[in-house]
Amino acid sequence: MKETNPHRLEQRQKQIDYGYNTEGYRNYTTHIPKNKRKKGMLKTPDKLQKCSKRSWDGQIRKWRRQLHLWDTVPASVNDSKVDVVSPSQEISESDYETSALPKAARALVF
């Protein structure tokens, strides 16, 4: 089933557009072209899916948090050396340098 409520679709598109207008989304699409993405990688939620508001908000929240991981990508990184972590992989604090992050941000990431 697909969502048909025009107001709900408009609100969902608005939330997706907020994500598209972030530095993280621009970095992600620059470093990982669509033809190189694999199953389980960062994916925009489908605004047409039939689901509750709570479920939709959770999907958007997860997507936006994943986008924030791409906010700061060093300019020297080339496409072949980008280490992509799919959401299904376990991430430990030792995998990333987090000492520069505020304590509250570290708690959200790990």
Side-chain angles (χ1 to χ4, degrees):
M1 289 182 70
K2 300 265 184 193
E3 184 61 59
T4 58
N5 182 325
H7 178 70
R8 183 170 285 175
L9 290 171
E10 183 180 319
Q11 293 302 310
R12 288 180 178 186
Q13 186 60 53
K14 189 176 181 180
Q15 290 176 315
I16 290 170
D17 290 342
Y18 283 138
Y20 285 165
N21 289 322
T22 62
E23 187 69 26
Y25 186 80
R26 283 187 291 279
N27 288 336
Y28 180 72
T29 56
T30 299
H31 291 288
I32 311 291
K34 207 169 200 175
N35 62 352
K36 293 193 180 199
R37 297 180 198 163
K38 297 185 171 102
K39 186 177 181 179
M41 293 177 80
L42 187 60
K43 187 177 179 189
T44 305
D46 180 11
K47 72 175 181 179
L48 297 175
Q49 70 178 319
K50 189 81 167 173
C51 65
S52 68
K53 181 172 180 356
R54 181 178 294 207
S55 172
W56 175 257
D57 288 345
Q59 291 174 54
I60 286 290
R61 187 178 313 110
K62 179 181 176 185
W63 179 62
R64 294 286 307 275
R65 284 188 176 159
Q66 289 174 334
L67 286 176
H68 281 300
L69 296 175
W70 288 88
D71 282 350
T72 55
V73 176
S76 63
V77 174
N78 69 32
D79 293 346
S80 63
K81 293 184 180 178
V82 174
D83 183 25
V84 178
V85 178
S86 74
S88 61
Q89 290 177 305
E90 288 294 319
I91 303 171
S92 69
E93 192 166 352
S94 62
D95 293 335
Y96 297 96
E97 178 56 48
T98 60
S99 60
L101 293 173
K103 186 175 181 180
R106 282 183 290 206
L108 288 175
V109 175
F110 300 103

